[in-house]
Amino acid sequence: MNWLLVKSLQYRRDDPHALFDRYDCEDQFKRVSLRGRGKPVSFEDIPKQAYKMMLPISKSKKADLLKLCKSLVIPKEVHAWYESLPTSDTAKHLTPEPAEGDSEDDMPAV
């Protein structure tokens, strides 16, 4: 597995001793065994899914992301995912507050 090229990783409960990866968002997942020379990796404590669906983002944040898609800052192969992001009128666009001691000059342009 070339970690620098991996676009997606997937874990399947029915195959606990493997990961599935793909190098392109259009490719099929390929199985990578976790059984090595030593003891096999075990996933005994699988965390529960936190949300039943994707959380919506603000319309302004999605518009900003789509501008980045249009200008090709975001790679073409993931544009469809960004276009499918749900939005909500009640979702807040939160910008982090500067840390104590940071000046306005230290903050990235938003």
Side-chain angles (χ1 to χ4, degrees), residues 20-78:
F20 296 82
D21 71 351
R22 61 183 177 185
Y23 296 141
D24 189 299
C25 293
E26 305 299 321
D27 290 343
Q28 294 292 320
F29 281 97
K30 294 177 187 157
R31 185 180 188 276
V32 178
S33 176
L34 295 178
R35 294 179 190 261
R37 297 180 194 151
K39 181 179 166 188
V41 176
S42 178
F43 293 97
E44 300 295 330
D45 299 320
I46 299 170
K48 275 199 319 190
Q49 187 172 345
Y51 303 99
K52 300 216 184 282
M53 61 183 169
M54 288 179 63
L55 296 178
I57 61 175
S58 69
K59 289 181 179 183
S60 62
K61 181 174 289 256
K62 184 172 181 177
D64 290 342
L65 290 167
L66 294 178
K67 282 182 193 174
L68 293 173
C69 289
K70 188 174 181 178
S71 64
L72 299 178
V73 171
I74 295 175
K76 279 186 176 183
E77 63 244 12
V78 292

